[in-house]
């Protein structure tokens, strides 16, 4: 579950940040292709469905650093 959380977190960082499952998905960033944004959002939603109710969300790992692209 930690790997799923990390993957969802990193995908969210690409579209503007936020904590998985807890925060809503942000609007499409300026100059990002709509097709890319839709693909990332679909993958994030699929990953987050698996995270609902897991222990990983209760602990909210602090060891995950913010990514800088």
């Amino acid at each position: 579950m930690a790997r799923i959380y990390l993957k969802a977190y990193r995908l969210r960082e690409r579209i503007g940040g936020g904590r998985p499952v807890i925060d809503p998905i942000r609007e499409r960033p300026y100059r990002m292709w709509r097709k890319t944004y839709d693909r990332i959002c679909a993958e994030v939603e699929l990953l987050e469905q698996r995270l609902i109710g897991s222990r990983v969300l209760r602990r909210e790992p602090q060891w995950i650093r913010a990514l800088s692209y």
Side-chain angles (χ1 to χ4, degrees):
M1 285 300 162
R3 288 182 183 194
I4 293 171
Y5 182 91
L6 182 61
K7 188 170 184 176
Y9 180 84
R10 288 184 173 161
L11 285 172
R12 277 179 169 266
E13 283 292 314
R14 286 187 62 190
I15 58 174
R19 297 174 297 175
V21 179
I22 298 168
D23 295 340
I25 295 176
R26 297 194 179 179
E27 294 179 9
R28 182 174 58 93
Y30 180 69
R31 298 183 62 98
M32 179 182 271
W33 292 95
R34 188 172 304 278
K35 188 175 183 180
T36 303
Y37 175 76
D38 291 341
R39 179 180 47 82
I40 291 172
C41 286
E43 191 170 350
V44 165
E45 289 173 3
L46 184 68
L47 291 169
E48 290 178 355
Q49 286 295 323
R50 296 175 64 190
L51 285 174
I52 293 174
S54 69
R55 288 185 292 172
V56 174
L57 285 180
R58 286 185 228 136
R59 294 186 184 178
E60 290 253 7
Q62 299 298 318
W63 49 268
I64 300 173
R65 292 181 288 131
L67 300 176
S68 57
Y69 288 100

